[in-house]
Amino acid sequence: MILNYQITPHDNSTLTPMIFIHGLFGSLSNLGMLTRHFANHRTVIQIDLRNHGLSEHADKHDYDSMPQDVLETLDRLNITKFVVVGHSMGGKVAMQLADMARDRVEQLVVLDITPIQYHENHHAEIFEALFAVEQANISSRAEAAKIMREYLNEEMVIQFLLKSFNKGQWLFNVQALYKHYPDILYWNDIAPVATPTLFLKGSNSFYISKPEHFAAIEHQFPHAKIEQIENSGHWLHGEQPAQVLEQMQAFLDAQ
């Protein structure tokens, strides 16, 4: 599948292009505060994963199909070597890319996710809110927000989700994401990847917090660095963009 993408070319740069991959319920604009910085120095590509944004909807949604979509899209753009940055579900896609295309991924940045299978369902209320909006047959974001507040009490999450509400419809494929939620939590361990890798964890996030999380990173990405972003949760790039950019730039410059 060729994904919807936005490319910001930098014709005078010799640096490797960077690919940015959003998380669950997101779209290509979600990492914009990061891409704008790096677009000053190199070509950047933002993508909508399948079942998100303006990319095609499909029944299949797993870590075999999503990385393959990214590779097909990069092939269409004639991009062979690249740096990949991924948040949450997009971080898992990025890690799979580092495994599937070991000769093409030069550096890897993973934002607040671990290469493990998670078992906790932290999105049940979000799915309830999304389905309620669908069933209400309303058209405005204000009406959608009012319904969502009956299910969700985090305004930041509501506003994040509403970025994908357009003309009375969710841009992401709610039914497919709900059906394949176990596939999104899933992870099949990969053989150790030698690619230089940076994991950034939110200080208040549980996604990289347990001994088994650190063990999984060490086993599958033995050359990885793990850095903590202070005073941030799972959306660390939105909450503390300056810290995230500082850590990313230092990592990229050191290689």
Side-chain angles (χ1 to χ4, degrees):
M1 180 188 295
I2 304 301
L3 301 169
N4 181 57
Y5 63 86
Q6 180 176 313
I7 183 168
T8 307
H10 195 301
D11 297 332
N12 299 322
S13 178
T14 59
L15 296 174
T16 306
M18 290 182 76
I19 318 303
F20 290 82
I21 308 177
H22 64 80
L24 180 61
F25 305 123
S27 66
L28 59 74
S29 66
N30 289 159
L31 300 179
M33 68 288 293
L34 305 182
T35 59
R36 286 189 288 273
H37 170 82
F38 291 104
N40 293 320
H41 311 290
R42 65 176 87 203
T43 294
V44 299
I45 300 99
Q46 301 158 265
I47 62 169
D48 285 330
L49 291 171
R50 62 168 56 201
N51 293 315
H52 289 78
L54 299 179
S55 285
E56 291 180 36
H57 288 187
D59 181 61
K60 193 174 184 183
H61 194 92
D62 56 30
Y63 297 115
D64 292 324
S65 57
M66 287 188 281
Q68 191 59 46
D69 293 342
V70 176
L71 290 176
E72 290 177 18
T73 305
L74 295 178
D75 289 344
R76 173 72 63 88
L77 293 169
N78 296 314
I79 293 173
T80 53
K81 304 281 189 178
F82 54 93
V83 175
V84 60
V85 181
H87 171 242
S88 197
M89 180 184 72
K92 283 190 167 182
V93 174
M95 289 186 280
Q96 282 286 6
L97 280 169
D99 179 38
M100 293 170 60
R102 292 177 180 240
D103 58 337
R104 298 178 65 176
V105 178
E106 291 191 351
Q107 293 164 285
L108 170 64
V109 179
V110 179
L111 304 178
D112 208 57
I113 200 74
T114 305
I116 65 163
Q117 178 174 352
Y118 291 90
H119 298 283
E120 307 92 344
N121 183 345
H122 293 279
H123 296 90
E125 292 176 343
I126 288 179
F127 277 115
E128 287 184 29
L130 299 179
F131 283 126
V133 170
E134 275 194 336
Q135 293 163 8
N137 194 27
I138 47 89
S139 58
S140 75
R141 287 189 176 184
E143 291 173 298
K146 183 177 179 181
I147 293 171
M148 295 174 75
R149 291 187 186 109
E150 297 176 14
Y151 300 86
L152 305 170
N153 55 21
E154 294 183 72
E155 191 64 25
M156 186 183 78
V157 174
I158 292 171
Q159 295 305 318
F160 163 75
L161 294 167
L162 286 173
K163 290 180 179 179
S164 292
F165 188 71
N166 184 49
K167 297 179 180 178
Q169 293 186 324
W170 295 113
L171 293 177
F172 40 72
N173 186 346
V174 182
Q175 293 288 347
L177 297 178
Y178 182 74
K179 176 182 176 182
H180 291 284
Y181 188 70
D183 294 323
I184 295 168
L185 296 179
Y186 181 71
W187 181 259
N188 187 26
D189 285 3
I190 58 178
V193 175
T195 303
T197 303
L198 173 66
F199 284 81
L200 294 180
K201 65 179 296 291
S203 61
N204 302 322
S205 173
F206 67 87
Y207 282 94
I208 307 179
S209 59
K210 300 178 180 179
E212 55 265 35
H213 297 165
F214 294 95
I217 292 172
E218 183 178 356
H219 174 68
Q220 296 169 72
F221 295 89
H223 301 287
K225 288 182 59 180
I226 304 173
E227 300 289 351
Q228 179 163 289
I229 303 301
E230 299 299 336
N231 301 311
S232 69
H234 188 50
W235 283 276
L236 63 175
H237 51 285
E239 298 170 43
Q240 300 291 344
Q243 281 190 59
V244 171
L245 284 170
E246 181 181 3
Q247 291 288 354
M248 288 179 63
Q249 192 65 65
F251 167 72
L252 295 172
D253 291 344
Q255 305 304 314

